């Protein structure tokens, strides 16, 4: 095992990085944050040390490859475009709409599976949603305690996705 596996970059640095990212997305989707780095390396057909070379750590790899299934800038603009009294309903509709789309649902399931399998992954997911979507919305509407409100909404967002 591994004797025929290439030991260096395949097709240049960007090809190797993308191969690792693709394998990591698949492994995180299947196994959550518990996905072994060696399995990711095997699927990418690279030496496991290249994961650390390109991404630094498992946490950094997870953050780099697990993208939100919604464009944060678009979501923020959409949420702020209409009556702010309906903001909560629109946010829930966005998440439910994302869950109804098979491609985006697959990403959400991968994120939720990772969050359910490891507290660090759950924290990373909440932080990403909070910092990239909810905090900008809370700040834009000028609410008091924007960071606290965004964090609370982030927990609700993850909880709704898990349900």
């Amino acid at each position: 095992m591994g004797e025929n596996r290439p030991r260096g970059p395949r097709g240049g640095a960007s090809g190797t990085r993308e191969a690792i990212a693709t394998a990591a997305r698949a492994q995180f989707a299947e196994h959550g944050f518990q996905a072994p780095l060696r399995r990711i390396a095997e699927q990418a057909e690279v030496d496991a040390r290249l994961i650390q070379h390109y991404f630094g750590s498992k946490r950094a790899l997870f953050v780099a490859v697990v993208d939100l299934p919604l464009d944060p800038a678009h979501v923020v603009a959409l949420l702020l475009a209409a009556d702010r009294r309906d903001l909560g309903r629109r946010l829930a509709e966005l998440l439910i709409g994302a869950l109804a789309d098979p491609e985006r649902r697959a990403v959400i399931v991968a994120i939720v599976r990772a969050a359910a399998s490891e507290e660090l992954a759950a924290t990373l997911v909440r932080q990403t949603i909070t910092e990239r979507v909810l905090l900008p919305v809370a700040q834009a509407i000028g609410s008091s305690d924007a960071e606290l409100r965004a964090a609370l909404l982030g927990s609700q967002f993850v909880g709704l996705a898990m349900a």
Side-chain angles (χ1 to χ4, degrees):
M1 177 178 126
E3 288 180 34
N4 296 325
R5 187 167 12 116
R7 292 289 178 198
R10 295 182 309 119
S14 64
T16 300
R17 183 179 174 83
E18 187 53 40
I20 293 169
T22 300
R25 280 185 202 98
Q27 289 296 317
F28 286 138
E30 186 176 342
H31 302 287
F33 195 74
Q34 299 299 325
L37 290 178
R38 67 173 170 71
R39 245 193 221 151
I40 294 169
E42 286 172 4
Q43 185 172 339
E45 298 180 347
V46 300
D47 188 282
R49 292 174 291 199
L50 288 174
I51 295 173
Q52 185 173 9
H53 171 75
Y54 285 107
F55 294 95
S57 68
K58 187 176 189 178
R59 176 183 176 159
L61 175 63
F62 180 79
V63 169
V65 303
V66 179
D67 292 326
L68 297 176
L70 305 163
D71 174 28
H74 174 74
V75 169
V76 170
L78 188 65
L79 290 174
L80 296 174
D83 188 350
R84 294 184 179 170
R85 291 177 293 189
D86 294 331
L87 191 113
R89 180 185 50 77
R90 286 194 311 277
L91 182 60
E93 287 171 352
L94 278 171
L95 178 57
I96 291 168
L99 289 168
D101 177 85
E103 209 171 285
R104 293 190 294 171
R105 182 177 53 244
V107 174
I108 292 170
V109 167
I111 291 170
V112 168
R113 196 172 275 159
S117 67
E118 175 69 36
E119 182 57 34
L120 174 59
T123 299
L124 292 172
V125 168
R126 274 193 308 273
Q127 285 175 343
T128 300
I129 293 168
T130 299
E131 291 171 5
R132 294 183 62 200
V133 178
L134 302 173
L135 185 56
V137 170
Q139 289 170 332
I141 63 174
S143 64
S144 62
D145 300 322
E147 289 183 23
L148 175 61
R149 290 173 185 267
L152 291 171
L153 277 172
S155 293
Q156 292 295 312
F157 191 87
V158 171
L160 180 58
M162 290 184 87

